[in-house]
C-alpha cells in the first residue's frame, strides 16, 4: 500500500530498496540505451578510422595516377618531338640529294662539253 502511494507520487524502490525517482524498468532501459549508445559511438569511431584510411589510400592512388599521367604525356610529347626531328632531317637529306643531283647534272654537262670540244678539235 505504501508502495502504491509512492508509485503514484513517482517514487519507486529499486532491488536494493533504495528510493528512486524513476521506475526500475525505465532505469534498466536507460542503462541499456546508454550501453547501446556507447557501442554505437565506438563503432562510429572505428568506421571513421577505416574511412580515413580509405581516403588516404585513394588520395595516394590519385597522386600516383597523376604522376603516371604526366609521365605518359611527357613520353608522348617526346615521341612527337622525335617525329618532327626526323621529318626535318628527311627534308634536309632530300634537299641535299636534290643539290647533289644538280651538281651531277652540271658536271655531266661540263664533261659533255669537254668531250665535244676534244672530238671537234682536229689533231695536229
Amino acid at each position: 500500500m505504501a508502495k502504491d502511494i509512492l508509485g503514484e507520487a513517482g517514487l519507486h524502490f529499486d532491488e536494493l530498496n533504495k528510493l528512486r525517482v524513476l521506475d526500475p524498468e525505465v532505469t534498466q532501459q536507460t542503462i541499456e540505451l546508454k550501453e547501446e549508445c556507447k557501442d554505437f559511438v565506438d563503432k562510429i569511431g572505428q568506421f571513421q578510422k577505416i574511412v580515413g584510411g580509405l581516403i588516404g589510400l585513394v588520395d595516394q592512388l590519385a597522386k600516383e595516377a597523376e604522376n603516371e599521367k604526366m609521365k605518359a604525356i611527357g613520353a608522348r610529347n617526346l615521341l612527337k618531338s622525335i617525329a618532327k626531328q626526323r621529318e626535318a632531317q628527311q627534308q634536309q637529306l632530300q634537299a641535299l640529294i636534290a643539290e647533289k643531283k644538280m651538281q651531277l647534272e652540271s658536271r655531266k654537262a661540263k664533261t659533255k662539253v669537254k668531250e665535244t670540244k676534244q672530238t671537234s678539235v682536229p689533231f695536229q
Side-chain angles (χ1 to χ4, degrees):
M1 186 179 222
K3 284 187 177 183
D4 292 335
I5 296 172
L6 289 174
E8 290 175 9
L11 299 173
H12 305 280
F13 288 101
D14 65 5
E15 64 275 350
L16 300 175
N17 288 328
K18 290 187 177 183
L19 188 61
R20 303 287 180 187
V21 176
L22 291 176
D23 183 10
E25 187 177 315
V26 173
T27 303
Q28 183 62 32
Q29 290 175 348
T30 304
I31 291 169
E32 289 174 4
L33 181 62
K34 182 179 176 183
E35 289 173 3
E36 288 179 19
C37 288
K38 183 184 178 302
D39 291 342
F40 179 75
V41 169
D42 291 342
K43 288 179 182 178
I44 291 294
Q46 290 174 353
F47 178 75
Q48 285 178 336
K49 286 179 184 178
I50 292 169
V51 169
L54 181 63
I55 289 172
L57 181 62
V58 169
D59 285 344
Q60 181 182 357
L61 290 174
K63 288 177 184 178
E64 290 176 12
E66 188 67 24
N67 288 339
E68 291 299 319
K69 177 182 164 185
M70 289 300 169
K71 285 180 186 178
I73 289 171
R76 182 182 63 194
N77 290 342
L78 179 63
L79 288 174
K80 284 181 181 179
S81 173
I82 290 172
K84 286 181 182 181
Q85 287 175 351
R86 285 186 180 175
E87 187 178 320
Q89 186 180 19
Q90 183 179 9
Q91 288 176 353
Q92 288 175 346
L93 291 173
Q94 286 175 343
L96 184 62
I97 289 170
E99 181 183 337
K100 294 296 179 182
K101 281 184 180 179
M102 288 175 52
Q103 287 177 356
L104 178 64
E105 292 299 321
S106 173
R107 288 184 181 168
K108 281 183 182 179
K110 287 180 184 178
T111 305
K112 192 173 187 180
V113 169
K114 284 183 183 178
E115 286 177 358
T116 54
K117 283 185 182 178
Q118 287 177 355
T119 56
S120 63
V121 174
F123 287 104
Q124 294 176 357

